[in-house]
Amino acid sequence: MKCKIGVLVWVLLNFGGALVSAQGENGAHIMTVNGKLAVEDMGKALIHEHIVTNFGSTEYPNQPFEGDQKVIETILPYLLHLKSLGFTTLFECTPSHIGKNVGLLQELSKRSGIHIVTNTGYYAAVDKKYLPEHVYTESSEILAESWLTEWQKGISDTGVYPGFIKLGVGKGTLDSIEQKIVKAGFIVSKKTGMALAIHTGDGASIKSQYQLALANNFNVNRLIWTHAQNATDDERISMAQKGIWISLDGVNETKLEAYVAMVVKLKERSLLNRLLLSHDDGWSITHLNGQPKLELFKNGNSRPYRTISEKLMKRLFEKGFTQDQMDMILVENPKQIMAIQD
Ligand SMILES: [Zn+2]
């Protein structure tokens, strides 16, 4: 094969199927668990899913990977099916201290060919059960430093880098601890260009985040309102008009028509350019006598990662949506929010 070296030098590394290129034509990339990927190669993406989450674990920021075959064999077929549906990238939203396991993500990415992106940041929802103690005594600036270290040097000693920031807050106006971690998220996003996705309890919380963003001169075009389905149409429309990304990330079989209605409302207000869709699917993992036990999230989907393709899209087409609009929601919007400038 003849090879021409142009002005643009491409470095292609083949990780057993997940092809990773070091630089994109427009100078932007996403950071996957296997390295930089040119943003134009990201393809169709799910921006809020999980592989495994350990709801009993608060000890490790990142879970040691023990190469567990049973876990890999359980999950791999679902990722291969996702690939067969035309998806190429999955953003894994399990935060530090809740069983984030980047070694497992790397292995599954290599075997499936799905690009997987992991995150940095802390989760203060669920009564702050998963927050490490040092959050209570350190400033936003110091917290930001620890996440910036993951950005610069990788997560623990794995050599895996985060591709976005994932935080969690509860309902209502942000309290002082929530404010502290959200401000740390602003600092890290401003310095790195990474998107800031915040698990948000309700509409009052996102309003409070918006006020804090204004006070800290943070551009809300980099902010994802995670779980925006837990609010009203008016709240979603108002925040989308301010530039915040609206993440309807719990699409499921049992509440399909509610999701159709939420998406249609945004379309009616010409706000599809701020919409992100996902399932929030995944498995919870526990260990019994040293053996891993996996259980699908009880979120209304009997099989993970497929309700959008196999059910929701059909309903949206029936409601008059075009292929271009679907591509905007599943390809262009994820690209815009997740792209990091080289
Ligand atoms: Zn989630």
Side-chain angles (χ1 to χ4, degrees), residues 4-299:
K4 231 181 183 180
I5 300 170
V7 178
L8 185 69
V9 178
W10 287 80
V11 181
L12 296 172
L13 302 166
N14 194 338
F15 288 92
L19 194 65
V20 177
S21 56
Q23 195 178 348
E25 274 168 0
N26 60 3
H29 65 273
I30 59 163
M31 179 58 81
T32 79
V33 292
N34 286 317
K36 284 183 180 181
L37 174 76
V39 74
E40 58 267 30
D41 295 336
M42 190 181 97
K44 210 191 272 188
L46 292 172
I47 50 82
H48 187 119
E49 305 293 342
H50 298 266
I51 299 291
V52 297
T53 301
N54 187 340
F55 293 106
S57 160
T58 56
E59 189 184 351
Y60 298 111
N62 180 61
Q63 209 73 21
F65 175 54
E66 285 148 16
D68 199 294
Q69 286 310 308
K70 192 182 152 201
V71 175
I72 290 166
E73 280 164 23
T74 303
I75 296 169
L76 186 58
Y78 295 96
L79 291 175
L80 292 172
H81 185 81
L82 178 64
K83 199 177 171 192
S84 78
L85 294 171
F87 281 86
T88 41
T89 304
L90 179 151
F91 290 82
E92 215 276 352
C93 285
T94 302
S96 303
H97 295 281
I98 319 186
K100 183 165 86 178
N101 186 333
V102 300
L104 176 64
L105 303 187
Q106 260 190 326
E107 188 63 26
L108 283 166
S109 176
K110 287 174 188 173
R111 294 208 196 186
S112 65
I114 294 279
H115 302 296
I116 299 179
V117 182
T118 188
N119 65 85
T120 188
Y122 288 156
Y123 187 84
V126 198
D127 296 329
K128 307 187 175 62
K129 169 178 177 184
Y130 300 104
L131 272 188
E133 277 299 314
H134 70 100
V135 173
Y136 293 93
T137 53
E138 289 176 354
S139 65
S140 295
E141 288 73 17
I142 299 291
L143 286 177
E145 280 307 318
S146 68
W147 303 341
L148 285 165
T149 302
E150 290 198 329
W151 157 263
Q152 284 156 353
K153 297 183 176 164
I155 294 165
S156 304
D157 56 356
T158 60
V160 173
Y161 295 84
F164 65 109
I165 306 157
K166 170 73 194 296
L167 310 178
V169 297
K171 292 183 178 179
T173 304
L174 296 173
D175 66 25
S176 62
I177 297 296
E178 289 173 332
Q179 282 195 27
K180 193 194 279 191
I181 69 160
V182 171
K183 274 193 207 168
F186 293 159
I187 294 169
V188 177
S189 179
K190 277 186 196 171
K191 283 200 173 158
T192 63
M194 283 193 285
L196 175 59
I198 307 183
H199 165 117
T200 297
D202 63 5
S205 174
I206 191 68
K207 281 173 204 154
S208 181
Q209 290 171 42
Y210 177 67
Q211 293 303 330
L212 195 65
L214 290 185
N216 286 272
N217 199 22
F218 181 73
N219 178 0
V220 294
N221 285 317
R222 303 305 296 148
L223 178 62
I224 302 172
W225 175 7
T226 297
H227 307 325
Q229 63 268 23
N230 298 330
T232 64
D233 287 317
D234 286 347
E235 286 167 326
R236 283 185 287 275
I237 288 164
S238 155
M239 289 298 147
Q241 285 170 337
K242 296 179 195 319
I244 293 174
W245 291 89
I246 306 301
S247 178
L248 301 178
D249 42 48
V251 174
N252 70 85
E253 294 160 354
T254 52
K255 292 186 185 150
L256 195 68
E257 290 310 312
Y259 280 88
V260 171
M262 287 187 261
V263 174
V264 166
K265 282 278 184 216
L266 290 168
K267 181 176 176 240
E268 285 169 359
R269 305 298 290 266
S270 303
L271 289 168
L272 290 184
N273 64 352
R274 271 295 169 274
L275 172 62
L276 301 164
L277 286 178
S278 233
H279 305 95
D280 203 4
D281 278 335
W283 285 260
S284 63
I285 188 167
T286 47
H287 289 86
L288 210 62
N289 303 324
Q291 288 299 311
K293 186 169 167 281
L294 289 174
E295 226 177 311
L296 272 178
F297 290 171
K298 292 179 181 63
N299 62 354

